[in-house]
Amino acid sequence: MSLYGDYDPQNIFAQIIRGDMPCYKLYEDDDVLVFLDLFPQAYGHTLVIPKRAAARNILEIDADNLARLALAVQKVARVLADELQPDGVQVAQFNGAPAGQTVYHIHVHVIPRFSGENLQIHASGKADPAELEKLQARLVPRFQDL
Ligand code: 5GP
C-alpha cells in the first residue's frame, strides 16, 4: 500500500538531496531544499522538501522536521507571492497514490495561481529548461534571506 511501506533511499528527491540528480534549486539550508517542479502546474510551481527526514509522508515525519518544513513553506509562499504577484497561492501535500502522491519523499507543493487560468491539478508536460533557468535566476536572489 502506497500510504505505508519502507522509505526508498533511491527515490528521486532523495537523489536530488544527495546531489546525485540535478534540480533547479532556489534555496537550501540544513533542514530544507526548495526547487522548481519539472512538470509545473502553473508558473512558479515550487517544491519544498525536508533534507533530514527519511519520511515518505505526513504520517511518518517527526514533529521537529515537520515544523521546520511548515515554516519554510510559509516563507516560500511569501517570496513567490511577492515576486510573482499571483492572485492566489496553493499549498498542497499528498499522501499515498490515491491521494495523488507519485514521489515517496514527503514534499509540499507551493503553486502560484493566476486568475483566469484553469486550476490545473496535473501538469500538461515537462517545462522548457530555458524557462526554468530564467525563473530560477529571477527567484534565487529573492530566497537569499529565507
Ligand atoms: P506528488 O504528486 O508526489 O505530490 O508530486 C511529485 C511532484 O514532483 C510532481 O509535481 C512532479 O511534477 C514532480 N517531479 C517528479 N519528478 C521530478 C524531478 O525529477 N524533478 C523535479 N524538480 N520535480 C519532479
Side-chain angles (χ1 to χ4, degrees):
M1 284 206 300
S2 64
L3 191 55
Y4 303 100
D6 294 330
Y7 180 84
D8 175 7
Q10 292 310 323
N11 76 74
I12 187 69
F13 292 172
Q15 293 184 50
I16 288 173
I17 290 168
R18 288 197 297 271
D20 293 343
M21 288 294 284
C23 71
Y24 293 90
K25 180 163 68 178
L26 301 180
Y27 175 80
E28 180 173 24
D29 63 21
D30 287 345
D31 299 310
V32 297
L33 178 62
V34 180
F35 56 102
L36 294 172
D37 199 296
L38 274 191
F39 304 86
Q41 293 168 29
Y43 186 67
H45 183 168
T46 296
L47 298 169
V48 188
I49 65 176
K51 288 170 60 182
R52 296 171 184 268
R56 291 155 42 99
N57 56 46
I58 200 162
L59 304 182
E60 297 179 359
I61 190 170
D62 62 281
D64 191 45
N65 275 306
L66 179 59
R68 291 168 198 269
L69 180 65
L71 286 173
V73 166
Q74 185 190 42
K75 290 175 181 172
V76 169
R78 284 177 170 161
V79 169
L80 294 178
D82 194 43
E83 178 62 25
L84 303 181
Q85 298 283 301
D87 303 297
V89 179
Q90 183 180 33
V91 174
Q93 193 274 316
F94 307 140
N95 304 282
Q101 187 173 16
T102 58
V103 178
Y104 291 90
H105 178 105
I106 185 172
H107 52 277
V108 179
H109 301 255
V110 184
I111 311 175
R113 294 294 187 180
F114 300 88
S115 296
E117 288 187 4
N118 287 335
L119 192 58
Q120 203 182 332
I121 303 298
H122 297 293
S124 46
K126 198 169 182 176
D128 175 1
E131 282 301 314
L132 290 180
E133 263 174 47
K134 241 168 57 183
L135 183 56
Q136 180 189 32
R138 177 177 174 186
L139 290 173
V140 162
R142 302 301 314 270
F143 278 92
Q144 290 312 308
D145 302 323
L146 198 75

